[in-house]
Amino acid sequence: IFKANKNSFTLFTAGCQDVSDSNMLEMISLLNRGEYMISQTNAAFPRKLAALVKHATYLAASNVHITTANRSQPIKVELYPNSPIAPNLYGDKPYTIVGKIDKLADFDLVLQGRFCDNWILIKKKVSFSSARHGGHSILKDFLNILVFPDLLNINMYLRT
């Protein structure tokens, strides 16, 4: 499915109760810029599926590309996942971008995507003027974000 997609569609998957292939369904969704929904009960499935379909209608940008820019000094910023495949941007949920930087320096985060036939550009200044070095708790939060990516808004967690 992933190879055939070529950014032409987004695939959402849904499961109910103890889906034996839930990991596979979630991976298929993530690789095709969609989302996975699971319902713990059969009775809640229609309501959760309706919420997922409604969420899909709030598409703000597809074919999202994320880059960084810094005019003042050279810095190295790694964004995760380090892939040209970035999730679609939806207007009803926060967008999470996780990364690592080699030194505490301000930079611009540039998010580009398509909405219908138009390109959109979102530029966000990331400032570390009040940043602090983090310990184990920030690493734990970082790992949780990688596993549960919709926990944060546009924030950068760092470990130096």
Side-chain angles (χ1 to χ4, degrees), residues 98-155:
V98 179
K100 181 174 143 181
I101 189 168
D102 62 346
K103 57 184 167 184
L104 296 178
D106 296 350
F107 65 93
D108 292 326
L109 189 65
V110 181
L111 189 138
Q112 298 171 319
R114 271 187 106 69
F115 180 71
C116 296
D117 290 333
N118 300 315
W119 282 98
I120 65 165
L121 177 101
I122 300 171
K123 193 173 183 182
K124 173 82 175 167
K125 178 112 176 122
V126 178
S127 175
F128 289 107
S129 60
S130 62
R132 60 178 170 72
H133 287 276
H136 179 71
S137 65
I138 287 190
L139 179 60
K140 181 180 170 188
D141 289 345
F142 175 74
L143 293 175
N144 281 334
I145 291 165
L146 291 178
V147 176
F148 306 106
D150 53 358
L151 292 178
L152 289 191
N153 209 342
I154 295 179
N155 285 322

Short mmCIF file of all heavy atoms in Angstrom, two decimals, residues 98-155:
data_model
loop_
_atom_site.label_atom_id
_atom_site.label_comp_id
_atom_site.label_asym_id
_atom_site.label_seq_id
_atom_site.Cartn_x
_atom_site.Cartn_y
_atom_site.Cartn_z
N VAL A 98 9.15 17.02 16.87
CA VAL A 98 10.14 16.68 17.88
C VAL A 98 11.51 16.76 17.23
O VAL A 98 11.68 16.40 16.07
CB VAL A 98 9.89 15.26 18.43
CG1 VAL A 98 10.91 14.88 19.47
CG2 VAL A 98 8.49 15.17 19.01
N GLY A 99 12.50 17.23 17.97
CA GLY A 99 13.83 17.33 17.40
C GLY A 99 14.92 17.46 18.42
O GLY A 99 14.69 17.44 19.62
N LYS A 100 16.10 17.59 17.90
CA LYS A 100 17.30 17.70 18.71
C LYS A 100 18.18 18.77 18.07
O LYS A 100 18.26 18.87 16.85
CB LYS A 100 18.01 16.34 18.71
CG LYS A 100 19.25 16.27 19.52
CD LYS A 100 19.72 14.81 19.52
CE LYS A 100 21.21 14.72 19.47
NZ LYS A 100 21.69 13.35 19.46
N ILE A 101 18.82 19.57 18.91
CA ILE A 101 19.66 20.65 18.42
C ILE A 101 21.02 20.55 19.09
O ILE A 101 21.11 20.12 20.24
CB ILE A 101 18.98 22.02 18.68
CG1 ILE A 101 19.70 23.16 17.99
CG2 ILE A 101 18.83 22.27 20.16
CD1 ILE A 101 18.91 24.45 18.00
N ASP A 102 22.10 20.91 18.38
CA ASP A 102 23.44 20.75 18.96
C ASP A 102 23.81 21.84 19.95
O ASP A 102 24.62 21.64 20.84
CB ASP A 102 24.49 20.61 17.85
CG ASP A 102 24.60 21.84 16.96
OD1 ASP A 102 23.70 22.70 17.01
OD2 ASP A 102 25.58 21.93 16.22
N LYS A 103 23.23 23.04 19.82
CA LYS A 103 23.46 24.11 20.80
C LYS A 103 22.22 24.98 20.87
O LYS A 103 21.43 25.05 19.95
CB LYS A 103 24.70 24.93 20.44
CG LYS A 103 24.68 25.58 19.08
CD LYS A 103 26.00 26.27 18.81
CE LYS A 103 26.09 26.62 17.34
NZ LYS A 103 27.36 27.22 17.00
N LEU A 104 22.06 25.64 22.01
CA LEU A 104 20.86 26.44 22.24
C LEU A 104 20.93 27.73 21.45
O LEU A 104 21.47 28.73 21.91
CB LEU A 104 20.68 26.72 23.73
CG LEU A 104 20.45 25.49 24.60
CD1 LEU A 104 20.34 25.89 26.06
CD2 LEU A 104 19.21 24.75 24.16
N ALA A 105 20.39 27.71 20.25
CA ALA A 105 20.37 28.89 19.39
C ALA A 105 18.98 28.98 18.75
O ALA A 105 18.36 27.96 18.44
CB ALA A 105 21.44 28.78 18.31
N ASP A 106 18.53 30.18 18.56
CA ASP A 106 17.21 30.40 17.96
C ASP A 106 17.25 30.02 16.47
O ASP A 106 18.28 30.16 15.81
CB ASP A 106 16.79 31.85 18.09
CG ASP A 106 16.61 32.27 19.54
OD1 ASP A 106 16.62 31.38 20.42
OD2 ASP A 106 16.47 33.47 19.80
N PHE A 107 16.12 29.54 15.97
CA PHE A 107 16.00 29.22 14.55
C PHE A 107 14.55 29.32 14.13
O PHE A 107 13.66 29.45 14.97
CB PHE A 107 16.58 27.82 14.24
CG PHE A 107 15.84 26.69 14.88
CD1 PHE A 107 14.82 26.03 14.20
CD2 PHE A 107 16.15 26.26 16.15
CE1 PHE A 107 14.13 24.99 14.79
CE2 PHE A 107 15.47 25.22 16.75
CZ PHE A 107 14.46 24.58 16.06
N ASP A 108 14.33 29.28 12.83
CA ASP A 108 12.97 29.30 12.28
C ASP A 108 12.60 27.89 11.85
O ASP A 108 13.38 27.20 11.19
CB ASP A 108 12.88 30.23 11.06
CG ASP A 108 13.07 31.69 11.44
OD1 ASP A 108 12.63 32.07 12.55
OD2 ASP A 108 13.65 32.44 10.64
N LEU A 109 11.40 27.49 12.21
CA LEU A 109 10.84 26.21 11.79
C LEU A 109 9.89 26.52 10.64
O LEU A 109 9.00 27.38 10.77
CB LEU A 109 10.10 25.58 12.96
CG LEU A 109 9.61 24.17 12.80
CD1 LEU A 109 10.80 23.22 12.65
CD2 LEU A 109 8.80 23.77 14.01
N VAL A 110 10.09 25.89 9.50
CA VAL A 110 9.30 26.18 8.31
C VAL A 110 8.52 24.93 7.93
O VAL A 110 9.09 23.88 7.69
CB VAL A 110 10.21 26.61 7.13
CG1 VAL A 110 9.37 26.93 5.91
CG2 VAL A 110 11.07 27.81 7.53
N LEU A 111 7.20 25.07 7.90
CA LEU A 111 6.31 23.98 7.54
C LEU A 111 5.62 24.36 6.24
O LEU A 111 4.98 25.41 6.17
CB LEU A 111 5.30 23.78 8.67
CG LEU A 111 4.42 22.56 8.59
CD1 LEU A 111 4.31 21.96 9.98
CD2 LEU A 111 3.06 22.91 8.06
N GLN A 112 5.80 23.54 5.23
CA GLN A 112 5.17 23.79 3.93
C GLN A 112 4.24 22.62 3.61
O GLN A 112 4.55 21.47 3.92
CB GLN A 112 6.22 23.88 2.83
CG GLN A 112 7.19 25.02 3.01
CD GLN A 112 8.32 24.93 2.01
OE1 GLN A 112 8.83 23.85 1.73
NE2 GLN A 112 8.71 26.07 1.49
N GLY A 113 3.12 22.93 3.00
CA GLY A 113 2.18 21.88 2.63
C GLY A 113 1.20 22.38 1.60
O GLY A 113 1.20 23.55 1.22
N ARG A 114 0.36 21.46 1.15
CA ARG A 114 -0.64 21.77 0.13
C ARG A 114 -2.03 21.76 0.75
O ARG A 114 -2.37 20.87 1.51
CB ARG A 114 -0.63 20.73 -0.97
CG ARG A 114 0.31 21.02 -2.08
CD ARG A 114 0.13 20.03 -3.21
NE ARG A 114 -0.55 20.55 -4.37
CZ ARG A 114 -0.07 21.45 -5.18
NH1 ARG A 114 1.09 21.97 -4.95
NH2 ARG A 114 -0.73 21.85 -6.23
N PHE A 115 -2.82 22.75 0.40
CA PHE A 115 -4.24 22.76 0.72
C PHE A 115 -4.97 22.96 -0.60
O PHE A 115 -4.84 24.00 -1.24
CB PHE A 115 -4.60 23.87 1.71
CG PHE A 115 -6.06 23.89 2.04
CD1 PHE A 115 -6.61 22.88 2.81
CD2 PHE A 115 -6.88 24.89 1.56
CE1 PHE A 115 -7.96 22.88 3.11
CE2 PHE A 115 -8.24 24.90 1.84
CZ PHE A 115 -8.77 23.89 2.62
N CYS A 116 -5.69 21.94 -1.02
CA CYS A 116 -6.33 21.91 -2.35
C CYS A 116 -5.24 22.13 -3.40
O CYS A 116 -4.31 21.38 -3.47
CB CYS A 116 -7.45 22.93 -2.43
SG CYS A 116 -8.79 22.56 -1.28
N ASP A 117 -5.34 23.18 -4.19
CA ASP A 117 -4.33 23.44 -5.23
C ASP A 117 -3.33 24.50 -4.83
O ASP A 117 -2.54 24.95 -5.65
CB ASP A 117 -5.03 23.88 -6.53
CG ASP A 117 -5.78 22.73 -7.17
OD1 ASP A 117 -5.38 21.58 -6.95
OD2 ASP A 117 -6.76 23.00 -7.89
N ASN A 118 -3.36 24.93 -3.57
CA ASN A 118 -2.49 26.01 -3.13
C ASN A 118 -1.44 25.49 -2.14
O ASN A 118 -1.72 24.59 -1.35
CB ASN A 118 -3.30 27.11 -2.44
CG ASN A 118 -4.34 27.70 -3.35
OD1 ASN A 118 -4.05 28.00 -4.50
ND2 ASN A 118 -5.55 27.85 -2.86
N TRP A 119 -0.26 26.08 -2.20
CA TRP A 119 0.79 25.78 -1.22
C TRP A 119 0.63 26.73 -0.04
O TRP A 119 0.33 27.90 -0.23
CB TRP A 119 2.18 25.96 -1.84
CG TRP A 119 2.56 24.82 -2.71
CD1 TRP A 119 2.48 24.74 -4.06
CD2 TRP A 119 3.10 23.56 -2.28
NE1 TRP A 119 2.91 23.52 -4.51
CE2 TRP A 119 3.32 22.78 -3.43
CE3 TRP A 119 3.41 23.03 -1.04
CZ2 TRP A 119 3.81 21.49 -3.37
CZ3 TRP A 119 3.92 21.74 -0.99
CH2 TRP A 119 4.12 20.99 -2.14
N ILE A 120 0.82 26.21 1.15
CA ILE A 120 0.80 27.06 2.33
C ILE A 120 2.19 27.02 2.97
O ILE A 120 2.94 26.07 2.80
CB ILE A 120 -0.27 26.65 3.36
CG1 ILE A 120 0.04 25.26 3.93
CG2 ILE A 120 -1.65 26.70 2.78
CD1 ILE A 120 -0.75 24.94 5.17
N LEU A 121 2.51 28.05 3.70
CA LEU A 121 3.80 28.15 4.38
C LEU A 121 3.54 28.68 5.78
O LEU A 121 2.91 29.71 5.95
CB LEU A 121 4.73 29.10 3.63
CG LEU A 121 6.08 29.30 4.30
CD1 LEU A 121 7.13 28.45 3.63
CD2 LEU A 121 6.47 30.75 4.26
N ILE A 122 4.02 27.94 6.77
CA ILE A 122 3.91 28.37 8.16
C ILE A 122 5.32 28.49 8.69
O ILE A 122 6.11 27.54 8.63
CB ILE A 122 3.10 27.37 9.01
CG1 ILE A 122 1.69 27.23 8.46
CG2 ILE A 122 3.09 27.79 10.47
CD1 ILE A 122 0.89 26.11 9.08
N LYS A 123 5.66 29.66 9.20
CA LYS A 123 7.00 29.91 9.73
C LYS A 123 6.85 30.22 11.21
O LYS A 123 6.09 31.10 11.60
CB LYS A 123 7.63 31.08 8.99
CG LYS A 123 9.10 31.23 9.22
CD LYS A 123 9.63 32.33 8.28
CE LYS A 123 11.10 32.47 8.40
NZ LYS A 123 11.62 33.54 7.56
N LYS A 124 7.56 29.46 12.03
CA LYS A 124 7.48 29.63 13.48
C LYS A 124 8.88 29.85 14.03
O LYS A 124 9.79 29.07 13.77
CB LYS A 124 6.87 28.36 14.09
CG LYS A 124 6.86 28.29 15.57
CD LYS A 124 5.70 29.04 16.15
CE LYS A 124 5.68 28.83 17.66
NZ LYS A 124 4.83 29.70 18.34
N LYS A 125 9.06 30.94 14.77
CA LYS A 125 10.35 31.23 15.41
C LYS A 125 10.45 30.37 16.67
O LYS A 125 9.58 30.41 17.52
CB LYS A 125 10.44 32.71 15.78
CG LYS A 125 11.70 33.09 16.47
CD LYS A 125 12.51 33.97 15.58
CE LYS A 125 13.74 34.45 16.28
NZ LYS A 125 14.93 34.09 15.60
N VAL A 126 11.51 29.58 16.76
CA VAL A 126 11.78 28.77 17.94
C VAL A 126 12.89 29.47 18.71
O VAL A 126 13.99 29.66 18.19
CB VAL A 126 12.19 27.33 17.57
CG1 VAL A 126 12.51 26.52 18.81
CG2 VAL A 126 11.08 26.67 16.75
N SER A 127 12.58 29.86 19.94
CA SER A 127 13.53 30.61 20.75
C SER A 127 13.92 29.80 21.97
O SER A 127 13.07 29.22 22.65
CB SER A 127 12.91 31.93 21.18
OG SER A 127 13.78 32.61 22.06
N PHE A 128 15.21 29.79 22.25
CA PHE A 128 15.72 29.10 23.42
C PHE A 128 16.23 30.09 24.47
O PHE A 128 17.05 29.76 25.30
CB PHE A 128 16.85 28.15 23.03
CG PHE A 128 16.36 26.95 22.27
CD1 PHE A 128 16.59 26.83 20.91
CD2 PHE A 128 15.65 25.96 22.91
CE1 PHE A 128 16.14 25.72 20.21
CE2 PHE A 128 15.18 24.85 22.23
CZ PHE A 128 15.43 24.74 20.87
N SER A 129 15.72 31.31 24.45
CA SER A 129 16.20 32.33 25.40
C SER A 129 15.89 31.95 26.84
O SER A 129 16.63 32.31 27.75
CB SER A 129 15.61 33.69 25.06
OG SER A 129 14.20 33.63 25.12
N SER A 130 14.81 31.21 27.08
CA SER A 130 14.49 30.79 28.45
C SER A 130 14.58 29.27 28.60
O SER A 130 13.98 28.70 29.51
CB SER A 130 13.10 31.27 28.84
OG SER A 130 12.14 30.69 27.98
N ALA A 131 15.33 28.62 27.72
CA ALA A 131 15.45 27.16 27.77
C ALA A 131 16.32 26.73 28.94
O ALA A 131 17.18 27.46 29.42
CB ALA A 131 16.05 26.65 26.46
N ARG A 132 16.08 25.50 29.37
CA ARG A 132 16.90 24.92 30.43
C ARG A 132 17.33 23.54 29.98
O ARG A 132 16.67 22.90 29.17
CB ARG A 132 16.12 24.85 31.74
CG ARG A 132 14.87 24.01 31.63
CD ARG A 132 14.14 23.93 32.95
NE ARG A 132 12.84 23.32 32.83
CZ ARG A 132 12.60 22.04 32.61
NH1 ARG A 132 13.60 21.21 32.47
NH2 ARG A 132 11.38 21.58 32.50
N HIS A 133 18.44 23.07 30.52
CA HIS A 133 18.90 21.72 30.22
C HIS A 133 18.00 20.74 30.94
O HIS A 133 17.65 20.95 32.10
CB HIS A 133 20.36 21.53 30.64
CG HIS A 133 21.31 22.25 29.74
ND1 HIS A 133 21.75 21.71 28.57
CD2 HIS A 133 21.86 23.47 29.82
CE1 HIS A 133 22.56 22.56 27.97
NE2 HIS A 133 22.64 23.65 28.71
N GLY A 134 17.64 19.71 30.25
CA GLY A 134 16.72 18.73 30.83
C GLY A 134 17.43 17.46 31.25
O GLY A 134 18.52 17.15 30.79
N GLY A 135 16.78 16.76 32.11
CA GLY A 135 17.32 15.51 32.60
C GLY A 135 16.49 14.33 32.14
O GLY A 135 15.96 14.31 31.03
N HIS A 136 16.32 13.37 33.01
CA HIS A 136 15.62 12.13 32.70
C HIS A 136 14.15 12.37 32.33
O HIS A 136 13.61 11.71 31.45
CB HIS A 136 15.72 11.17 33.88
CG HIS A 136 15.01 9.88 33.67
ND1 HIS A 136 15.47 8.94 32.78
CD2 HIS A 136 13.86 9.40 34.19
CE1 HIS A 136 14.63 7.91 32.78
NE2 HIS A 136 13.65 8.17 33.63
N SER A 137 13.50 13.34 32.99
CA SER A 137 12.08 13.56 32.73
C SER A 137 11.84 14.06 31.31
O SER A 137 10.85 13.69 30.68
CB SER A 137 11.49 14.55 33.74
OG SER A 137 12.09 15.81 33.59
N ILE A 138 12.72 14.89 30.78
CA ILE A 138 12.55 15.37 29.40
C ILE A 138 12.79 14.23 28.42
O ILE A 138 12.07 14.10 27.43
CB ILE A 138 13.47 16.57 29.12
CG1 ILE A 138 12.92 17.78 29.84
CG2 ILE A 138 13.61 16.83 27.64
CD1 ILE A 138 13.53 19.09 29.49
N LEU A 139 13.76 13.37 28.69
CA LEU A 139 13.99 12.21 27.82
C LEU A 139 12.77 11.30 27.84
O LEU A 139 12.34 10.80 26.80
CB LEU A 139 15.25 11.46 28.25
CG LEU A 139 15.59 10.22 27.43
CD1 LEU A 139 15.81 10.59 25.97
CD2 LEU A 139 16.80 9.53 27.99
N LYS A 140 12.18 11.10 29.00
CA LYS A 140 10.98 10.26 29.12
C LYS A 140 9.84 10.87 28.32
O LYS A 140 9.14 10.19 27.58
CB LYS A 140 10.60 10.11 30.58
CG LYS A 140 9.40 9.25 30.82
CD LYS A 140 9.09 9.17 32.30
CE LYS A 140 7.75 8.50 32.52
NZ LYS A 140 7.32 8.58 33.91
N ASP A 141 9.63 12.19 28.44
CA ASP A 141 8.59 12.88 27.67
C ASP A 141 8.85 12.76 26.17
O ASP A 141 7.94 12.55 25.39
CB ASP A 141 8.50 14.36 28.06
CG ASP A 141 7.93 14.57 29.44
OD1 ASP A 141 7.33 13.62 30.00
OD2 ASP A 141 8.10 15.68 29.97
N PHE A 142 10.12 12.90 25.78
CA PHE A 142 10.51 12.79 24.38
C PHE A 142 10.14 11.42 23.82
O PHE A 142 9.57 11.30 22.75
CB PHE A 142 12.01 13.06 24.27
CG PHE A 142 12.58 12.86 22.89
CD1 PHE A 142 12.33 13.78 21.90
CD2 PHE A 142 13.36 11.76 22.60
CE1 PHE A 142 12.86 13.62 20.64
CE2 PHE A 142 13.89 11.59 21.34
CZ PHE A 142 13.62 12.51 20.36
N LEU A 143 10.45 10.37 24.57
CA LEU A 143 10.13 9.02 24.11
C LEU A 143 8.63 8.80 24.05
O LEU A 143 8.13 8.14 23.14
CB LEU A 143 10.80 7.99 25.02
CG LEU A 143 12.32 7.97 24.95
CD1 LEU A 143 12.90 7.02 25.98
CD2 LEU A 143 12.81 7.62 23.55
N ASN A 144 7.87 9.36 24.98
CA ASN A 144 6.41 9.26 24.94
C ASN A 144 5.85 9.97 23.71
O ASN A 144 4.89 9.50 23.11
CB ASN A 144 5.78 9.86 26.20
CG ASN A 144 5.86 8.92 27.37
OD1 ASN A 144 5.92 7.70 27.19
ND2 ASN A 144 5.88 9.46 28.56
N ILE A 145 6.45 11.08 23.33
CA ILE A 145 5.98 11.81 22.15
C ILE A 145 6.23 11.00 20.88
O ILE A 145 5.42 10.98 19.97
CB ILE A 145 6.67 13.19 22.06
CG1 ILE A 145 6.17 14.06 23.20
CG2 ILE A 145 6.38 13.86 20.73
CD1 ILE A 145 7.00 15.28 23.43
N LEU A 146 7.36 10.30 20.83
CA LEU A 146 7.63 9.47 19.66
C LEU A 146 6.61 8.35 19.54
O LEU A 146 6.22 7.97 18.44
CB LEU A 146 9.04 8.88 19.73
CG LEU A 146 10.18 9.87 19.57
CD1 LEU A 146 11.51 9.14 19.71
CD2 LEU A 146 10.12 10.58 18.25
N VAL A 147 6.15 7.82 20.68
CA VAL A 147 5.17 6.74 20.66
C VAL A 147 3.75 7.28 20.53
O VAL A 147 2.93 6.73 19.82
CB VAL A 147 5.30 5.89 21.95
CG1 VAL A 147 4.24 4.81 22.00
CG2 VAL A 147 6.69 5.26 22.01
N PHE A 148 3.44 8.40 21.21
CA PHE A 148 2.12 9.02 21.17
C PHE A 148 2.26 10.43 20.63
O PHE A 148 2.29 11.39 21.38
CB PHE A 148 1.50 9.05 22.57
CG PHE A 148 1.45 7.71 23.23
CD1 PHE A 148 2.33 7.40 24.26
CD2 PHE A 148 0.55 6.76 22.82
CE1 PHE A 148 2.30 6.17 24.87
CE2 PHE A 148 0.51 5.52 23.43
CZ PHE A 148 1.39 5.22 24.45
N PRO A 149 2.36 10.61 19.30
CA PRO A 149 2.76 11.90 18.74
C PRO A 149 1.78 13.04 18.91
O PRO A 149 2.14 14.18 18.70
CB PRO A 149 2.96 11.58 17.26
CG PRO A 149 2.24 10.33 17.01
CD PRO A 149 2.18 9.59 18.31
N ASP A 150 0.53 12.82 19.33
CA ASP A 150 -0.38 13.95 19.43
C ASP A 150 -0.48 14.51 20.84
O ASP A 150 -1.46 15.14 21.21
CB ASP A 150 -1.76 13.58 18.90
CG ASP A 150 -2.33 12.34 19.56
OD1 ASP A 150 -1.64 11.74 20.39
OD2 ASP A 150 -3.47 11.98 19.23
N LEU A 151 0.58 14.33 21.66
CA LEU A 151 0.55 14.84 23.02
C LEU A 151 0.90 16.31 23.14
O LEU A 151 0.56 16.95 24.12
CB LEU A 151 1.54 14.04 23.90
CG LEU A 151 1.17 12.59 24.16
CD1 LEU A 151 2.25 11.93 24.98
CD2 LEU A 151 -0.16 12.49 24.87
N LEU A 152 1.60 16.88 22.17
CA LEU A 152 2.07 18.27 22.29
C LEU A 152 1.65 19.11 21.10
O LEU A 152 1.34 18.60 20.06
CB LEU A 152 3.61 18.31 22.28
CG LEU A 152 4.37 17.81 23.45
CD1 LEU A 152 5.80 18.23 23.26
CD2 LEU A 152 3.88 18.35 24.75
N ASN A 153 1.78 20.39 21.28
CA ASN A 153 1.62 21.32 20.18
C ASN A 153 3.00 21.49 19.54
O ASN A 153 3.89 20.69 19.80
CB ASN A 153 1.10 22.65 20.71
CG ASN A 153 0.28 23.40 19.71
OD1 ASN A 153 0.36 23.13 18.52
ND2 ASN A 153 -0.50 24.34 20.18
N ILE A 154 3.22 22.51 18.72
CA ILE A 154 4.53 22.69 18.12
C ILE A 154 5.51 23.07 19.22
O ILE A 154 5.53 24.20 19.68
CB ILE A 154 4.49 23.76 17.02
CG1 ILE A 154 3.60 23.29 15.88
CG2 ILE A 154 5.89 24.06 16.50
CD1 ILE A 154 3.49 24.29 14.75
N ASN A 155 6.26 22.11 19.68
CA ASN A 155 7.24 22.31 20.74
C ASN A 155 8.48 21.50 20.38
O ASN A 155 8.40 20.50 19.69
CB ASN A 155 6.72 21.81 22.09
CG ASN A 155 5.70 22.74 22.69
OD1 ASN A 155 5.84 23.95 22.57
ND2 ASN A 155 4.68 22.19 23.30
#
